[in-house]
Amino acid sequence: MLDIRLIREKPEFVRARLATRGGGEETKIDDVLRIDAERRKSETELQRLQSERNRLSKEIGGRRSRKEPSEELEAQVREIGEQIAGSTARANAFDQEQRNLLLNISNLPHESVPVGKDATANRVVRTWGEKPQLTAPVDHVALGTKLNLFNLEWAAKLSGSGFICFTGAGAKLERALINFMIDLHTTEHGYFQVSPPFVVRRDCMIGTSQLPKFESDMYGLEDNQLFLAPTAEVQLTNLHREEILNIGDLPEKFTAYTPCFRREAGAAGRDTRGIIRVHQFDKIELVKVVAPDKSYEELESLTANAERVLQLLGLHYRVVELCTGDLGFGSAKTYDIEVWSPGSGDGGAFLEVSSCSNFEDFQARRMQLRFKDRDGKNRLCHTLNGSGVALPRLFAALIESYQQPDGSVRIPEKLQPHFGADKIE
RNA sequence: GGUGAGGUGGCUGAGUGGUCGAAAGCAGCGCUUUGCUAAAGCGCCGUAGCCCAAAAGGCUACCGAGGGUUCGAAUCCCUCCCUCACCGCCA
């Protein structure tokens, strides 16, 4: 959520930054300003009435204690009470309208983000490793099916299309990857592990900005008051919701393994082959709650923490800086990490396995997540998150990259202690 | 699922219809004094919003959340959320 004060004081700046996204959202600013003016007007009026009521009510109290008549004043206050009821309704309606508008406006892209219309304007900031030399790479579906690593028919039988059922060595590989990543982040990168509930309240979903805008992409329960979390970003970022942290406690760094649930409505036909885009997938998440002046350096280190996973596994990848037009709703700046999948598409493709973002105070304002600074003032924290990393795509890239001419899959050295073998055959 | 007890400021904890944004204690900040690894005294000390060009100042709201009763609600009523205890059920 954007700061209404910023909108009020620098509307041109806000409009200009929003315009770089190319979604036409800058036109909403006029509405916000109009409603804001109305809201304040009705609020001032309401407060005037309340003040009057308070004054007269005290007078009544005084008269009664002195046994003096007060019927006249009581009638007067009763009338003011009616006006207050109307005024309250008006003020609340404006307040609600303003909030709804603000909840549906994207974050402002950071000034360093390249301006562009869509993904074609994204910028590759670095590439790590090299494409593996494979004579005739087989894709992960063929590999996985042949080696019995997962069974998509079983998954479909249980849950329909868009689900995975890992089996045998595949299930074990999944487990090994989870442990490998969590161990890495907790021991080497200093994150605190949390194993959270997978079902979250509506408020939490609003806090991290999945709602209200993207409700149709979410799995709702209990009359949509609870949701299956689409990412552990929701749980981890909301841990300190509505709290005021001590500056000394920042940065807070959390990691979690959770399944993630997404309807992927409208995504039919896109990247749908095999296990690349599914309704439920496992993911290791990294979340940081930090002081505002540190958030951009924290974004760099968070991204580096996620990259380390791929480096240790010896997987070729690149880091892409998203342009303004490709940036997610709440993000001010995002780096995507894309791992090389030799069997995807025609001759290989990069698959997004992590999206590392700085939300600045966009989420913090929604969830009233603050810290007390050195002057004792309450200020909003900045929040960041990224996958470290998402499992099915990592799984696919891994088995494709390490496939051997004899049809087996070699296990990278760093993963062997977790997997308990050096190959799958 | 049932029964009961609760949710008050950073913390502890008073307060059952009127000058209560809320006693008191602790913590914190400032000053004074005495001095030495601290004590005493005094003062300050919640959050948010609105008015104001701004400062000063003023006003409003907030005692888990939302409604209601009333001239007036932390206080009475209703609904919901959460915490704790016991019972039931259960992996």
Side-chain angles (χ1 to χ4, degrees):
Chain A
M1 193 157 72
L2 297 179
D3 184 359
I4 182 61
R5 288 208 186 110
L6 179 69
I7 297 177
R8 206 185 289 155
E9 285 158 23
K10 297 181 178 170
E12 280 318 314
F13 168 76
V14 172
R15 271 192 274 257
R17 292 310 300 161
L18 280 177
T20 63
R21 283 178 172 268
E25 291 188 277
E26 61 278 9
T27 60
K28 295 179 183 172
I29 296 304
D30 282 340
D31 290 338
V32 172
L33 290 172
R34 186 172 49 77
I35 298 300
D36 182 52
E38 297 276 17
R39 192 197 99 241
R40 286 187 293 157
K41 207 174 113 192
S42 60
E43 220 163 278
T44 304
E45 169 67 7
L46 172 63
Q47 291 179 2
R48 212 206 79 229
L49 290 168
Q50 287 171 322
S51 172
E52 183 70 1
R53 176 177 65 184
N54 290 345
R55 194 177 65 77
L56 293 175
S57 288
K58 280 184 186 174
E59 176 64 20
I60 291 169
R63 287 199 192 183
R64 286 207 176 180
S65 61
R66 294 193 301 269
K67 308 271 193 238
E68 293 171 9
S70 59
E71 292 77 19
E72 203 178 305
L73 284 179
E74 287 175 28
Q76 215 173 322
V77 175
R78 204 170 298 136
E79 196 176 312
I80 291 174
E82 282 161 26
Q83 292 176 44
I84 284 177
S87 200
T88 303
R90 255 192 313 282
N92 285 347
F94 284 128
D95 193 65
Q96 194 57 48
E97 192 174 353
Q98 175 165 324
R99 186 173 162 77
N100 282 343
L101 281 168
L102 289 176
L103 282 177
N104 283 291
I105 293 176
S106 301
N107 200 2
L108 305 182
H110 186 255
E111 58 186 7
S112 68
V113 175
V115 175
K117 194 159 102 284
D118 54 38
T120 57
N122 293 345
R123 200 167 68 196
V124 176
V125 292
R126 60 183 164 273
T127 302
W128 189 92
E130 284 169 22
K131 297 181 175 64
Q133 296 301 307
L134 302 168
T135 39
V138 177
D139 83 355
H140 71 272
V141 178
L143 261 175
T145 305
K146 184 153 160 289
L147 292 171
N148 249 319
L149 304 182
F150 48 78
N151 188 323
L152 298 179
E153 285 165 27
W154 281 1
K157 186 181 287 181
L158 298 175
S159 312
S161 70
F163 289 88
I164 314 174
C165 186
F166 285 106
T167 52
K172 189 169 185 185
L173 179 56
E174 181 194 36
R175 193 151 47 87
L177 285 167
I178 290 167
N179 287 333
F180 164 71
M181 289 189 272
I182 288 281
D183 286 347
L184 173 67
H185 296 312
T186 53
T187 62
E188 288 184 31
H189 299 152
Y191 289 78
F192 182 70
Q193 186 184 355
V194 175
S195 181
F198 304 153
V199 174
V200 294
R201 297 172 167 288
R202 188 174 186 87
D203 287 342
C204 293
M205 297 284 278
I206 292 173
T208 35
S209 68
Q210 282 74 27
L211 294 183
K213 199 163 180 198
F214 306 106
E215 187 147 359
S216 61
D217 294 331
M218 308 299 155
Y219 285 106
L221 306 166
E222 303 281 351
D223 229 8
N224 279 15
Q225 294 310 301
L226 289 173
F227 292 84
L228 297 180
T231 159
E233 161 197 351
V234 178
Q235 293 98 312
L236 297 181
T237 313
N238 275 287
L239 289 174
H240 289 302
R241 185 158 59 96
E242 291 170 39
E243 287 183 25
I244 299 174
L245 304 171
N246 291 316
I247 178 125
D249 296 335
L250 302 179
E252 290 256 37
K253 298 160 69 174
F254 298 111
T255 186
Y257 148 72
T258 66
C260 303
F261 303 89
R262 303 181 180 182
R263 284 189 184 279
E264 298 293 352
R270 267 185 71 209
D271 307 330
T272 46
R273 179 160 168 73
I275 64 176
I276 301 305
R277 182 181 293 275
V278 284
H279 295 303
Q280 178 190 325
F281 63 96
D282 287 325
K283 182 159 67 65
I284 306 303
E285 184 71 2
L286 304 172
V287 162
K288 290 186 186 180
V289 178
V290 309
D293 59 332
K294 297 282 198 300
S295 67
Y296 279 93
E297 55 186 89
E298 294 286 0
L299 174 63
E300 297 302 321
S301 64
L302 184 144
T303 308
N305 295 154
E307 283 176 62
R308 189 79 186 129
V309 169
L310 303 180
Q311 291 170 4
L312 291 173
L313 293 176
L315 293 171
H316 176 52
Y317 71 87
R318 67 182 187 187
V319 177
V320 176
E321 182 178 6
L322 299 193
C323 74
T324 52
D326 204 26
L327 213 53
F329 178 72
S331 175
K333 186 184 180 78
T334 296
Y335 292 115
D336 274 1
I337 301 174
E338 301 179 339
V339 70
W340 180 249
S341 161
S344 284
D346 190 11
F350 282 103
L351 298 179
E352 181 189 329
V353 285
S354 179
S355 206
C356 302
S357 304
N358 183 357
F359 290 78
E360 299 188 354
D361 61 14
F362 189 81
Q363 295 179 324
R365 183 171 294 105
R366 287 168 165 248
M367 60 176 82
Q368 284 301 301
L369 168 55
R370 293 171 294 177
F371 71 100
K372 214 170 255 308
D373 71 12
R374 303 208 186 279
D375 300 326
K377 289 202 61 161
N378 295 338
R379 298 174 58 200
L380 292 168
C381 300
H382 279 195
T383 60
L384 301 94
N385 70 63
S387 314
V389 299
L391 261 139
R393 292 178 187 177
L394 174 66
F395 188 105
L398 185 98
I399 63 174
E400 287 176 1
S401 296
Y402 282 94
Q403 58 184 295
Q404 304 299 306
D406 64 1
S408 66
V409 169
R410 194 158 62 79
I411 297 298
E413 200 183 322
K414 297 284 191 210
L415 194 58
Q416 289 173 14
H418 291 87
F419 184 72
D422 60 3
K423 65 176 168 178
I424 302 171
E425 52 191 341

